[in-house]
Amino acid sequence: MRINSFADVSLRLLMVLTSAPPHQLHTTRELAELVGTPYNHVSKAVLKLRQMELVEALRGRSGGVRITPAGRTATVGQVLRVLEGHQDAAGCEGGMGGCPLAHSCGLRGVLNHAREAFYQSLDGVQLGSLAAPAQAGPIPVTLSTSRPV
């Protein structure tokens, strides 16, 4: 299965936010840079995630975005079901109107069933488990005088 780019950006945002300390705020511009996505795409994703109550957005000079407790415990399957919408997995509408096989085709139902199985396989994966916490402090480096083999 392939997820749409909006869902991809949204999941990346949630992963960044779950790896941050619980009360740390990120501006939308910082988030755009962290996930490597244009600011306007990130701001739209933040708006949708806020409507889903997965993130909290605080306005003002010291404002920013942070993950909510519901966002930390949400599963990838739950989030994708909302972000992907209820579009058919098969494009049953063509440029010339409806599909000529619509009355005798079982493909649409089979593909929709496969999509739901995909989501179900992600229902056991919490967003908080996907991203490793950001490492704070110095990174230990070991220097060796021997040459690598």
Side-chain angles (χ1 to χ4, degrees):
M1 294 290 304
R2 182 177 168 97
I3 63 172
N4 66 40
S5 60
F6 184 75
D8 177 49
V9 169
S10 299
L11 287 174
R12 286 190 279 150
L13 285 171
L14 290 168
M15 288 173 58
V16 166
L17 293 170
T18 58
S19 68
H23 297 292
Q24 182 178 355
L25 294 169
H26 289 285
T27 67
T28 308
R29 293 210 184 275
E30 289 171 345
L31 290 171
E33 189 174 308
L34 288 169
V35 299
T37 303
Y39 169 78
N40 50 337
H41 294 284
V42 170
S43 62
K44 288 177 187 176
V46 166
L47 178 63
K48 180 64 177 177
L49 295 172
R50 188 171 159 242
Q51 290 170 347
M52 293 170 65
E53 299 181 355
L54 300 176
V55 301
E56 177 182 28
L58 304 172
R59 293 179 178 237
R61 179 177 236 187
S62 59
V65 179
R66 67 178 164 216
I67 194 90
T68 63
R72 287 192 186 279
T73 60
T75 69
V76 177
Q78 291 169 332
V79 172
L80 283 178
R81 278 185 188 89
V82 174
L83 295 176
E84 292 276 307
H86 298 288
Q87 297 176 356
D88 281 327
C92 294
E93 295 293 326
M96 303 286 286
C99 176
L101 302 175
H103 299 292
S104 61
C105 177
L107 183 61
R108 176 188 241 175
V110 170
L111 291 176
N112 288 337
H113 180 73
R115 181 184 57 213
E116 183 55 33
F118 172 69
Y119 293 154
Q120 284 178 0
S121 71
L122 297 171
D123 281 338
V125 181
Q126 286 188 338
L127 291 166
S129 70
L130 292 178
Q135 184 170 347
I139 298 172
V141 177
T142 305
L143 299 176
S144 173
T145 57
S146 64
R147 298 177 85 185
V149 178

